[in-house]
Amino acid sequence: MNKECYRKYLMWVPIAVLYILCFKLVITSGYMFDDMWSSVDMGVAINNDTTIAGIVRGDIIRWVTSYGRILIFSFYSDFVLNYLPLIVYKAMIVGLMFLDGFILGGIIRELTGSERLTYLTVISFPAFISLRATYYTGVYAFHGLVQVCLLMVLLAVYCYIRYRRTNKVRFQIISCIFWFIALGTYEASYVLCFCFIVALICIDGWDYVRKHFWKSIRTGLPQIIIEIIWCVANVTARLLASGDYDGATPNMSAGKIVSTFFKQCSGSVGLGAAITDLYQLSFSEWLEFIKINIGLSEIFSYILMFAIIIVVLMYIKDEKEKNLRWMVLFGIILLVMPSALISVSVKYQKEVEWFKGYIPAYFGSWGLALVVAVAIVY
């Protein structure tokens, strides 16, 4: 391994430290939201003379038959929450966020050749994610659902890119496996299929794709078939479901859709929560709150973040940067598409407020970080 490779990997060490410091609050938090109920499944299993696996089988069947939701790969939650110590589970969530950044960085590097854009995106992410816990957020809980879902999507896209670069079929097979898992983990992954389109355009070039669209799109045919299969299975399950789940029930009122869409997007802006607090409190109360909740570790994390950014901007030079505008589109997809999915739901049209997005706001925070990083590099 040459010196250049060592330097690339060495840069991830301070970034990992940055994530530990920025998300210390996550690591030290307790069970929250749905995790509180799932964490007692071991006791429920003992009381009912069954096992965790038995409970999981029952939950999968109930969700499919009653609610029409096929999320078979998301039920790893019961095992994670009942077999891992709390602090290990919380560290796992932070680790997954770091891995999301690492794989997204790999995609950025493959498609743009820009080291600076890679690092700036991952470094700036903690500034965009909201740590407000007054509404359902995937940062603290939900067994790392959005983190795992995004990781599977990004791995699928990355392996597809490697397949196109090397023409090795094994990368295409691995990509399809990750894509299949993503689609069976959380519905938000369905709309992230557009990430493959961006990768396709970056590899073949926009002019080539316009002229030879079907020839280009055929390279992703296995992924398309997998998505169609999952879509058909989900629609069938919804039609045959015996019950109703308002989170998956659409309301096509244009006004409510538009309002919920922008509210959900705003949930991806971490600093928005601080602005809301300032609006609701007097300045002196807001300042006192900041003093109480920001300690030495938080201050050090801010200093470290700015220090890494300065190092990246001053000392990391890219020989050639390409496809930056398509990376903007990639970021917009992460922000807009999951928010659009949430916006048609009856449940979230009632619940989502400004800067308090539902758990898919996590995807949008990564999207915003990428867009802002492109603006800095460009």
Side-chain angles (χ1 to χ4, degrees):
M1 188 178 290
N2 57 37
K3 184 183 291 187
E4 184 66 19
C5 288
Y6 275 121
R7 182 185 64 78
K8 289 180 180 179
Y9 286 109
L10 192 62
M11 274 297 300
W12 289 99
V13 175
I15 296 175
V17 174
L18 175 67
Y19 272 55
I20 293 171
L21 291 171
C22 287
F23 297 115
K24 185 190 75 171
L25 191 61
V26 175
I27 296 173
T28 57
S29 63
Y31 292 116
M32 302 171 68
F33 308 118
D34 288 14
D35 289 352
M36 291 187 294
W37 319 123
S38 298
S39 65
V40 299
D41 279 351
M42 181 69 77
V44 173
I46 293 171
N47 287 340
N48 291 277
D49 195 25
T50 184
T51 61
I52 295 291
I55 291 178
V56 168
R57 282 194 299 271
D59 285 344
I60 291 174
I61 294 171
R62 178 169 57 86
W63 276 80
V64 173
T65 58
S66 297
Y67 305 129
R69 300 184 72 189
I70 308 176
L71 307 175
I72 55 176
F73 296 117
S74 69
F75 287 95
Y76 67 87
S77 59
D78 297 80
F79 298 99
V80 165
L81 290 166
N82 286 274
Y83 287 105
L84 290 183
L86 175 60
I87 192 168
V88 175
Y89 161 60
K90 293 292 184 169
M92 181 197 80
I93 291 179
V94 176
L96 285 168
M97 287 192 278
F98 178 78
L99 282 176
D100 285 343
F102 186 77
I103 302 302
L104 178 59
I107 292 172
I108 294 169
R109 191 181 297 110
E110 285 284 341
L111 297 180
T112 68
S114 176
E115 292 289 330
R116 292 204 298 173
L117 181 59
T118 296
Y119 295 132
L120 286 174
T121 300
V122 182
I123 294 164
S124 60
F125 168 72
F128 286 96
I129 192 72
S130 175
L131 293 177
R132 178 192 287 267
T134 53
Y135 186 60
Y136 301 118
T137 168
V139 179
Y140 292 99
F142 297 101
H143 50 270
L145 176 65
V146 283
Q147 289 87 349
V148 170
C149 178
L150 182 60
L151 182 62
M152 294 299 106
V153 171
L154 294 176
L155 283 168
V157 174
Y158 179 78
C159 289
Y160 169 74
I161 294 169
R162 295 300 300 153
Y163 162 66
R164 293 297 311 279
R165 298 287 195 211
T166 65
N167 205 31
K168 293 180 180 178
V169 178
R170 69 170 180 268
F171 285 116
Q172 179 71 309
I173 294 172
I174 297 170
S175 172
C176 289
I177 292 172
F178 283 129
W179 186 231
F180 184 86
I181 295 172
L183 294 172
T185 300
Y186 192 40
E187 293 98 338
S189 59
Y190 286 69
V191 294
L192 295 180
C193 61
F194 293 99
C195 294
F196 286 99
I197 302 296
V198 175
L200 177 73
I201 294 171
C202 289
I203 294 169
D204 289 341
W206 174 240
D207 290 335
Y208 182 87
V209 172
R210 277 193 309 167
K211 295 176 182 177
H212 308 281
F213 178 76
W214 293 113
K215 186 176 181 180
S216 288
I217 209 73
R218 277 204 303 271
T219 62
L221 188 60
Q223 286 85 351
I224 294 172
I225 292 172
I226 289 171
E227 172 132 4
I228 291 172
I229 291 172
W230 272 105
C231 286
V232 171
N234 268 274
V235 170
T236 303
R238 297 282 166 85
L239 293 174
L240 298 177
S242 59
D244 197 14
Y245 173 61
D246 57 354
T249 302
N251 176 18
M252 304 311 293
S253 168
K256 290 186 177 180
I257 289 174
V258 172
S259 174
T260 307
F261 170 76
F262 284 109
K263 287 178 181 177
Q264 176 67 19
C265 286
S266 74
S268 301
V269 184
L271 293 177
I275 296 171
T276 303
D277 290 336
L278 179 59
Y279 175 77
Q280 294 174 344
L281 302 171
S282 68
F283 181 75
S284 59
E285 290 174 324
W286 182 80
L287 198 60
E288 185 63 25
F289 176 82
I290 296 296
K291 289 178 180 178
I292 293 172
N293 287 277
I294 294 185
L296 289 176
S297 62
E298 285 79 14
I299 293 172
F300 182 72
S301 67
Y302 300 145
I303 295 172
L304 180 61
M305 180 183 293
F306 286 116
I308 298 174
I309 289 174
I310 290 171
V311 169
V312 168
L313 292 176
M314 290 184 63
Y315 297 104
I316 295 181
K317 304 297 181 183
D318 295 318
E319 294 181 4
K320 186 179 181 181
E321 296 166 348
K322 55 185 179 179
N323 296 320
L324 291 184
R325 61 175 178 166
W326 296 114
M327 287 297 97
V328 172
L329 180 58
F330 198 104
I332 290 173
I333 288 169
L334 291 176
L335 172 65
V336 168
M337 297 312 296
S339 297
L341 197 62
I342 289 295
S343 68
V344 300
S345 165
V346 171
K347 176 180 172 68
Y348 304 116
Q349 286 174 357
K350 298 175 184 176
E351 295 182 1
V352 172
E353 300 177 13
W354 290 107
F355 303 110
K356 295 182 182 180
Y358 190 55
I359 58 175
Y362 174 80
F363 303 114
S365 295
W366 276 112
L368 284 174
L370 177 53
V371 170
V372 170
V374 171
I376 294 172
V377 170
Y378 190 76

